[in-house]
Amino acid sequence: MEFLSIFSIFVMACFVGYYVVWSVTPALHTPLMAVTNAISSVIVVGALIASSAAAGGSETSRYLGLLALVLASVNIFGGFAVTRRMLAMYKKKDKKPAVSNAAAK
Amino acid sequence: MEHAATPEWAMLAYLIAGVLFILSLRGLSSPETSQAGNRYGMIGMGIAVLTTLILHPVGLPFIIGAMAIGGGIGFYIAQNIKMTAMPELVAGFHSLVGMAAVLVGCAAYLNPAAFNILDSVTNEIHGASRIEMGLGVAIGAITFSGSVIAFLKLSGRMGGNPIMLPGRHIINLALLAGILGLVAYFVTDQSAWVFWTITALSFAIGFLLIIPIGGADMPVVISMLNSYSGWAAAAMGFTLGNTAMIITGALVGSSGAILSYIMCKAMNRSFISVIAGGFGDAGGPVAAGSGIAKPFKAGSAEDAAFIMKNAESVIIVPGYGMAVSQAQHALREMGDLLKKEGVSVKYAIHPVAGRMPGHMNVLLAEANVSYDEVFELEDINSDFAQCDVAFVIGANDVTNPLAKTDKTSPIYGMPVLDVEKAKTVLFVKRSMGGVGYAGVDNPVFYMDNTMMLLADAKKMVETIVKSLGH
């Protein structure tokens, strides 16, 4: 892909990120960090490419890829699982809608 | 560039993964939609992994083995970690992303053909890819070593106090200039020494940057490292021309940056001064030792129980001390008993209470506190003037009125919870000796309407619960 077109995606995504993150309620900032941590493990794509490099390439490169794959997998599974565990704890007991503070945001 | 080798269906799949990641953050705008959001994130990751595997199907047994090992470890940790240990867990996970980015960068450098970044004419790595790779490895290495230090400090394996090296600003700036200079030089010369020096210098600067930063600045540090892990993924995404990585990198990068900004604002500190480090290193012992012991009122758990039972409204202000002593469950029990007595109970959370953004909210949620009883600073601060009791537990600096009045105070200008306006302040604190992180004495301790409850937070609350029981 052309550099400029891929750079445009990047710039747009920064703006999307900016607006989406500001809309996250402060009560969920810890889960936000956990989930961003999990999705930043999308670096796993690079690790997979390195791990599956066909014969002829550098063997070291392949081992580095596999090691990266282990680390990224810890993060993917750990990150999403811990986020799920945290989010399951956020409960509302009263059925009444939250007073004033919902309107203030 | 020759990224065109990726088929169109795969590019589309990566784009879909990227969009799902956006939706997963969007879900966090409210607790009701948050679990669905997390699922979108998992689906997005699944799509990204599957697409890559279909494109690169060589060596599957090893790949599946590596994922099973990593996934098993990750899942085990996630299921067994204590909620109070969340800050160090997140720091630890950041370090893994950083290290993975470094390893992927190294792998790409050693086997550029596999990553499709080799120029077919010169048989060297594309100039643009070298910059992206250099930056990716540098940011990844900083994320790794910085997060390792943050992890050690947060988990108490290393003292929380800032460690000051002489001339550290000059060393850091020199290192930074060296890294940037080498990344630029890397474009003209792809020799191994350039690449490995960039990597080594970046590990060093990450280490040096976080060493001088103290415990209570950790919310900023951990958010900043969160942001870096995103930028590292984005840089690698440019190398691979992969939209999922670029979108995610940008999302995570801006998320961390915004959280750092919110944390800095909540402490009235500039980002630069946090990074420069050393806040409160001289203040502690001086402020604690100076002056004559001022008179204060100490009370017992029974007194506290009596006062709260007869109050109409109680606002609970938790801080890091609550997390340290694991008092959140006892606290919720206390809240329940008070509500049974007809007392209105609310929780007030300062943005920097604890060691990471939202730390207190997670602990209260763990203890089964309904999230509509938990309020942010700006939503509840005006309520203190009308409330009967402010129950401060393990928080100090975030309640210090000097931040509003004393221009010489190191915390001047920081937004604080107006606990002193409540009719009675009950202040749970281990002892009178210690001062908050900023090393500033808190005038609230010595007010006529303050009763100090000097004990371990959890024990104190448990005793209060017992006396409320009969």
Side-chain angles (χ1 to χ4, degrees):
Chain A
M1 218 186 295
E2 290 297 316
F3 176 78
L4 257 188
S5 62
I6 207 158
F7 188 67
S8 335
I9 295 176
F10 175 71
V11 173
M12 292 299 160
C14 285
F15 277 95
V16 171
Y18 179 86
Y19 288 106
V20 169
V21 172
W22 273 116
S23 76
V24 171
T25 163
L28 292 177
H29 276 164
T30 296
L32 171 68
M33 297 196 81
V35 85
T36 50
N37 197 228
I39 65 174
S40 62
S41 316
V42 71
I43 193 93
V44 73
V45 170
L48 286 170
I49 295 174
S51 314
S52 78
S58 149
E59 272 299 296
T60 324
S61 164
R62 197 170 144 237
Y63 293 132
L64 291 177
L66 284 169
L67 187 56
L69 186 54
V70 173
L71 299 183
S73 305
V74 172
N75 235 307
I76 293 173
F77 287 85
F80 283 122
V82 87
T83 310
R84 197 173 76 166
R85 217 182 119 201
M86 274 193 275
L87 292 176
M89 299 185 314
Y90 283 81
K91 278 179 231 118
K92 188 158 70 175
K93 277 180 234 135
D94 307 351
K95 293 217 172 67
K96 282 178 283 175
V99 222
S100 69
N101 80 317
K105 292 235 175 72
Chain B
M1 288 197 225
E2 291 163 54
H3 293 306
T6 316
E8 267 177 14
W9 69 265
M11 297 220 285
L12 202 62
Y14 284 131
L15 182 64
I16 292 171
V19 172
L20 284 165
F21 291 146
I22 295 174
L23 290 176
S24 90
L25 296 200
R26 179 83 190 110
L28 291 175
S29 57
S30 103
E32 282 100 24
T33 54
S34 60
Q35 304 211 36
N38 196 35
R39 277 193 291 277
Y40 287 134
M42 293 187 220
I43 298 170
M45 190 61 74
I47 292 177
V49 169
L50 275 181
T51 309
T52 317
L53 283 178
I54 294 170
L55 293 177
H56 305 268
V58 187
L60 267 183
F62 281 99
I63 287 175
I64 292 169
M67 289 192 82
I69 296 171
I73 299 172
F75 197 73
Y76 178 81
I77 298 174
Q79 292 301 319
N80 293 289
I81 190 91
K82 275 194 186 147
M83 283 298 143
T84 40
M86 206 45 74
E88 55 258 41
L89 177 80
V90 169
F93 277 177
H94 285 156
S95 74
L96 298 183
V97 178
M99 195 64 206
V102 173
L103 292 172
V104 171
C106 296
Y109 177 73
L110 293 172
N111 190 3
F115 284 81
N116 211 1
I117 51 175
L118 215 50
D119 194 304
S120 48
V121 186
T122 59
N123 210 26
E124 286 195 328
I125 301 172
H126 289 298
S129 302
R130 288 188 216 167
I131 296 189
E132 294 151 8
M133 225 161 72
L135 285 178
V137 167
I139 303 171
I142 294 173
T143 312
F144 172 75
S145 53
S147 301
V148 167
I149 301 295
F151 171 80
L152 292 175
K153 287 196 172 200
L154 285 165
S155 60
R157 289 177 175 85
M158 181 191 246
N161 292 332
I163 297 165
M164 317 296 271
L165 292 174
R168 64 206 153 83
H169 295 311
I170 297 171
I171 299 175
N172 286 344
L173 285 177
L175 278 173
L176 186 66
I179 293 168
L180 292 177
L182 281 172
V183 170
Y185 179 68
F186 194 43
V187 179
T188 59
D189 175 5
Q190 63 163 9
S191 314
W193 73 267
V194 187
F195 184 78
W196 299 115
T197 315
I198 293 174
T199 316
L201 289 183
S202 306
F203 277 124
I205 197 174
F207 180 79
L208 291 172
L209 270 178
I210 310 303
I211 279 277
I213 302 181
D217 277 340
M218 279 301 152
V220 180
V221 169
I222 200 167
S223 315
M224 180 187 86
L225 293 167
N226 185 233
S227 173
Y228 286 1
S229 67
W231 302 131
M236 285 299 155
F238 275 105
T239 312
L240 296 172
N242 185 298
T243 18
M245 286 169 88
I246 286 174
I247 293 177
T248 315
L251 283 180
V252 178
S254 29
S255 163
I258 290 172
L259 288 177
S260 319
Y261 169 80
I262 295 175
M263 294 300 117
C264 283
K265 225 179 124 210
M267 293 196 286
N268 192 36
R269 310 239 287 125
S270 75
F271 186 69
I272 297 292
S273 73
V274 172
I275 295 311
F279 185 55
D281 60 320
V286 181
S290 70
I292 328 111
K294 283 177 253 176
F296 65 90
K297 252 191 333 199
S300 68
E302 288 72 29
D303 302 334
F306 179 79
I307 293 172
M308 285 194 282
K309 214 186 232 177
N310 292 300
E312 267 176 34
S313 54
V314 173
I315 299 180
I316 298 172
V317 181
Y320 184 55
M322 178 191 82
V324 172
S325 77
Q326 307 258 12
Q328 66 271 28
H329 299 279
L331 199 62
R332 196 256 313 146
E333 240 180 286
M334 184 185 96
D336 285 352
L337 287 172
L338 287 173
K339 274 187 274 175
K340 241 183 246 164
E341 301 279 341
V343 183
S344 125
V345 178
K346 288 180 195 166
Y347 297 80
I349 312 276
H350 192 279
V352 292
R355 285 293 183 266
M356 74 186 292
H359 192 184
M360 292 298 120
N361 303 78
V362 174
L363 295 181
L364 292 176
E366 186 202 12
N368 245 335
V369 172
S370 171
Y371 62 75
D372 53 5
E373 290 171 12
V374 183
F375 297 88
E376 303 300 319
L377 172 94
E378 62 268 30
D379 300 326
I380 198 165
N381 225 3
S382 53
D383 293 11
F384 281 106
Q386 287 97 46
C387 94
D388 294 320
V389 178
F391 186 86
V392 185
I393 173 165
N396 186 0
D397 290 340
V398 298
T399 64
N400 195 331
L402 286 183
K404 290 175 281 192
T405 52
D406 182 0
K407 285 197 175 137
T408 61
S409 168
I411 56 170
Y412 179 72
M414 168 172 160
V416 288
L417 291 158
D418 300 332
V419 292
E420 78 280 2
K421 291 192 180 148
K423 287 203 192 89
T424 307
V425 183
L426 298 173
F427 214 111
V428 183
K429 200 169 178 313
R430 190 177 288 276
S431 70
M432 286 306 283
V435 282
Y437 174 71
V440 195
D441 208 2
N442 191 340
V444 172
F445 301 160
Y446 312 108
M447 290 186 336
D448 285 341
N449 60 342
T450 301
M451 182 187 281
M452 299 301 294
L453 304 168
L454 300 175
D456 171 75
K458 188 178 175 188
K459 284 206 190 97
M460 175 54 75
V461 178
E462 279 170 350
T463 329
I464 294 175
V465 167
K466 258 186 224 144
S467 16
L468 280 173
H470 35 71

